[in-house]
DNA sequence: TGTAATGTCTCTAGTGACTAGAGATTCAAG
DNA sequence: CTTGAATCTCTAGTCACTAGAGACATTACA
């Protein structure tokens, strides 16, 4: 049995965030000492590691709640869990696509002032002001 | 001179968002009719277009405020504006990098349940529970 | 000119996923 | 037994909006 601070150290999840997860129902309410402090065991540690890993992968709290729900009721869990992961993957791919377009435009905008040829009016500002200067949609 | 709704239509920025930008100081306070409604002209339209374009490119409100500040004081603006754009570009590239790692892992996790070989325990959940199963850091 | 529909006003509160801080209590070490 | 660190609950703040209530203004049409 260890304290919330210890759990925080082991999982690298900040203390207030752990309490927040408990409030959101991702973690079951922890046992308490006589002095009302939370105490955790291996099960608590594992669940929090699961949550942290999923958060690192960009799953929303809601999606994680669904995954935990599935863990607790393992019938059919594999298909449903895969659905959630696939949706997450699609989301990530969409974000990558969009960011790549932005990268292209930002690279173009940034580069134009890069060399010695400092022009009178700022190309960065002009580019932002006038969408027509973009080479692509976004 | 046109109304906030008209401005919204032309810039595709929602009406409450326009008011929010005004409150945040990105837009100067609009002129008002005798009945207290906001009226805009070409200058207002251009500034809002600028803001929208920058937001689309992921610039924060704060960064946009800096850019606008530079617009209003054009001495040295080009260098400073370029700095902001370059920082934004670095940010976008970092995000892309991270998302690509996530994509790789999510793809691996998602695929494992894909075919006919449905295993007893769910690989998605196991992967999330056990970071050791990851092939890379993230 | 009257009236109805639509637009606009301000204000407050909610979103997601935390983070920060106040003030009180509890724990662990010396 | 005392000190200092950790923990407790609670409220409020972050970012960039979005939603809704209730009141007032404008516009279109008869």
């Amino acid at each position: 049995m260890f304290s919330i601070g210890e759990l925080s150290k082991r999982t690298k999840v900040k203390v207030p965030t752990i309490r927040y997860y408990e409030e959101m129902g991702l973690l079951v309410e922890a046992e308490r000492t006589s002095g009302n402090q939370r105490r955790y065991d291996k099960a608590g540690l594992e669940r929090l590691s699961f949550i942290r890993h999923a958060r690192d992968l960009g799953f929303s709290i809601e999606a994680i709640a669904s995954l935990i729900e599935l863990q607790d009721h393992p019938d059919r869990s594999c298909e449903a869990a895969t659905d959630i992961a696939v949706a997450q993957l699609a989301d990530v791919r969409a974000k990558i696509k969009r960011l790549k377009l932005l990268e292209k435009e930002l690279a173009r905008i940034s580069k134009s002032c890069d060399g010695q040829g400092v022009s009178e009016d700022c190309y960065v500002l002009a580019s932002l002001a006038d969408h027509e200067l973009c080479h692509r949609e976004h």
Side-chain angles (χ1 to χ4, degrees), chain A residues 75-125:
Chain A
D75 37 326
R76 296 192 137 272
S77 76
C78 195
E79 256 176 89
T82 304
D83 285 351
I84 294 173
V86 166
Q88 182 62 22
L89 177 59
D91 196 64
V92 166
R93 285 188 170 146
K95 278 183 188 148
I96 290 173
K97 202 170 167 186
R98 180 170 158 76
L99 284 173
K100 278 189 175 168
L101 289 178
L102 298 191
E103 186 196 8
K104 209 169 252 182
E105 185 175 349
L106 282 169
R108 187 177 53 70
I109 290 175
S110 303
K111 218 167 40 183
S112 58
C113 274
D114 225 30
Q116 256 63 7
V118 182
S119 54
E120 291 236 59
D121 34 21
C122 179
Y123 187 65
V124 174
L125 296 176

Side-chain angles (χ1 to χ4, degrees), chain A residues 27-72:
Chain A
L27 294 170
V28 291
E29 297 203 2
E31 280 180 60
R32 301 290 182 124
T33 64
S34 58
N36 199 35
Q37 298 194 355
R38 290 170 180 82
R39 285 301 114 106
Y40 297 90
D41 57 7
K42 194 159 166 283
L45 176 67
E46 278 166 9
R47 172 157 279 192
L48 184 54
S49 302
F50 175 93
I51 293 168
R52 183 186 142 89
H53 194 187
R55 283 294 302 135
D56 278 350
L57 290 169
F59 288 85
S60 68
I61 296 284
E62 207 191 335
I64 295 171
S66 306
L67 289 170
I68 286 173
E69 169 87 11
L70 291 171
Q71 263 181 325
D72 295 345

